[in-house]
Amino acid sequence: MEKISKEDTETVNGEIQQPTSIDGSICGYDSLHHLLAANLKPHLFQEVSRLLLGLNCAKALETAVLPESAKALSSEHNFDLQAFCFHADKELMREPRVVRVGLIQNSIVLPTTASFLDQKRAIFQKLKLIIDAAGASGVNILCLQEAWMMPFAFCTREKRWCEFAEPIDGESTQFLQVLARKYNMVIVSPILERDINHGETIWNTAVIIGNHGNIIGKHRKNHIPRVGDFNESTYYMEGSTGHPVFETAYGKIAVNICYGRHHPLNWLSFGLNGAEIVFNPSATVGELSEPMWPIEARNAAIANSYFVGSINRVGTETFPNPFTSGDGKPQHADFGHFYGSSYFSAPDASCSPSLSRCRDGLLISDMDLNLCRQLKDKWGFRMTARYELYEEMLDHYLSPDFEPQVISDPLLHRNSS
Ligand SMILES: NC(=O)NCCC(=O)O
């Protein structure tokens, strides 16, 4: 269990205050899982893990064995590398459908003051090594983090960062197409898109690259945040692509980009279109969303009987000009710490431990997609859903004359009349 740096907590009147974690670690530990493992007796750790991570086929989640070449890349280039297996029950009529899925989280490489091209190429160089580790590990489907090819500059509201935007078949896609072909791997690549054919407009888009290096399609972020420093609405509008599910060589996948994870109907729609794995490439910071992070995707996996792969950026990105976001905070030059912590959730409510809170990482999981239908059969969430009630409710709600259905206690108003 790696302990990153000296524990540095402050105590005031006997109470532990917020630990100082300049490096983004949790009191010097890479992740909550590592902190617990290092500080609990083994039987307590086992019990706490059962409660925190759930069980898969009645057992603690198994780890998967990775090749030495992948492990060597991870230690040489200091990225976290972890691998797990989500099993399903054996069926009599269907063979297991096991796919190996990977998630990559990474920090930017050069300062945001460096030339844009250098910044982008440096990220390519770093990503190449981690993708090589995924390739060596036999990953079938790989997803990168939101806007992986640039700093997450949308806090600044400065339009010059739009220069990073690329067409769907631009430089970033071409870079990944080579690797997709080389490793026979589907790659989900969330980029800042410039739509040349529609007035050069900008979108927040995931490009789906097939295992032959072909472009299968794209999906544009449906929900754009207007919270904290996430000033993304200055740059792009709500997506125009609905809730597509992409049928790939390895399964049916969809992409719910970042802030879309706060919207249960967004998750539902990908499920209704038949997704078996939904990726949630994100960029989010500790102060704002960390308590939500381990819950929302896991809940979506349970409610929709599919797997979810959640990816968050990692590190602190500092920009040349300080900015404010109309929330009364003093001007500042960074977003705060992107806390990494990428993880997988399964339809049976189990989930993997998270990647590091402060280092780059590659998280790999084998998942038997048969688990999706097994959970549908067990819990019947689709069958019991009452969509017609919701259709009626939403139909009323969307009417300008809508009035909430509230039945007041008549006694409440007796004294006031
Ligand atoms: N990138 C993005 O949509 N971030 C919004 C913040 C959050 O959803 O946690």
Side-chain angles (χ1 to χ4, degrees), residues 146 152 221 223 225 227 230 232 258-259 261-262 282-285 288-289:
E146 185 180 17
F152 211 72
K221 183 170 179 171
H223 299 274
V227 58
F230 289 88
E232 295 171 43
C258 195
Y259 184 77
R261 77 182 180 284
H262 311 300
S282 298
T284 186
V285 291
L288 182 69
S289 66

Side-chain angles (χ1 to χ4, degrees), residues 122-155:
I123 297 173
F124 283 12
Q125 254 180 24
K126 177 198 268 199
L127 257 286
K128 161 97 177 42
L129 296 164
I130 310 181
I131 298 173
D132 282 341
S137 305
V139 164
N140 302 125
I141 309 175
L142 180 69
C143 185
L144 310 184
Q145 68 194 19
E146 185 180 17
W148 64 271
M149 26 61 91
M150 61 180 289
F152 211 72
F154 312 119
C155 48

Side-chain angles (χ1 to χ4, degrees), residues 143 188 190 206 208 219 244 246 253-257 270 277-281:
C143 185
V188 178
I208 316 299
H219 174 54
F246 303 93
I253 65 172
V255 196
N256 182 358
I257 304 177
F270 293 117
I277 308 169
V278 179
F279 294 100
N280 177 227

